[in-house]
Amino acid sequence: MKVNDLKAILKFSAKEEAMFGRFDFPKDAFYPMILSLKVGGAWSYSTDDLKSISVMKVFTNYNNETKIGHTIEEVYLFLNPEYVSKEGTVYRLEKCGGRDERALVTRPYSVTLKAERIIVASISTEKKKIFIKELDERTVSFTGPSAFYAAHEMEHLEHIEIDGLPMWAFEYEEVKN
């Protein structure tokens, strides 16, 4: 690793610690958000008295005239989340952690979660900034992929083993024109 890269990483980490230190939270509650910011995806963390998950929503602002777009990722951090509601059923392929293959699982199409506190990090690829704020609301609803991720991470908090039909249960079939 180059010295300048190492310096930039250390500077970023110090700013990150200062930002998250502004919230009256146990530091380890931020682990899921930090992982979502740095490696993507949704994450969960739990101890006997603390549970937190991160869930991402991704949007694209695209200009049809210039043919240039930028994504905005919103990473929601829920402190001690609970379900308010779940609706619908979607069959989808997922892979989790140490599993070697994807499995066919069911997920709700929409979920509403409530939490003691909710922090949102909005990442602007256009501005190269991460905007952090605490929501006044204590509930957030998700649909589609964000709902799937939320349900998956809630299973982790509930210590439910993610289980489904393995990929090798599918059959190949040739389609002729």
Side-chain angles (χ1 to χ4, degrees), residues 8-71:
I9 290 168
L10 292 172
K11 183 177 176 182
F12 179 85
S13 295
K15 288 180 179 180
E16 179 177 72
E17 185 155 341
M19 174 60 76
F20 292 136
R22 293 180 182 156
F23 298 94
D24 185 27
F25 259 47
K27 284 188 179 184
D28 50 349
F30 282 99
Y31 292 162
M33 178 174 271
I34 291 168
L35 286 167
S36 290
L37 291 170
K38 291 184 178 178
V39 297
W43 297 86
S44 56
Y45 176 79
S46 69
T47 64
D48 290 338
D49 55 346
L50 170 73
K51 295 180 181 345
S52 63
I53 66 169
S54 61
V55 178
M56 291 180 72
K57 282 185 180 180
V58 180
F59 307 93
T60 302
N61 287 336
Y62 185 75
N63 184 315
N64 283 315
E65 292 177 17
T66 64
K67 306 296 184 205
I68 296 173
H70 291 276
T71 61

Side-chain angles (χ1 to χ4, degrees), residues 62-106:
Y62 185 75
N63 184 315
N64 283 315
E65 292 177 17
T66 64
K67 306 296 184 205
I68 296 173
H70 291 276
T71 61
I72 297 169
E73 296 181 1
E74 292 180 345
V75 179
Y76 291 79
L77 178 71
F78 295 86
L79 182 64
N80 295 320
E82 296 177 29
Y83 280 114
V84 171
S85 66
K86 298 187 261 187
E87 187 176 296
T89 302
V90 174
Y91 297 87
R92 68 184 306 258
L93 292 167
E94 278 185 13
K95 182 184 177 307
C96 180
R99 290 188 72 136
D100 291 332
E101 75 288 330
R102 295 190 303 162
L104 179 64
V105 300
T106 59

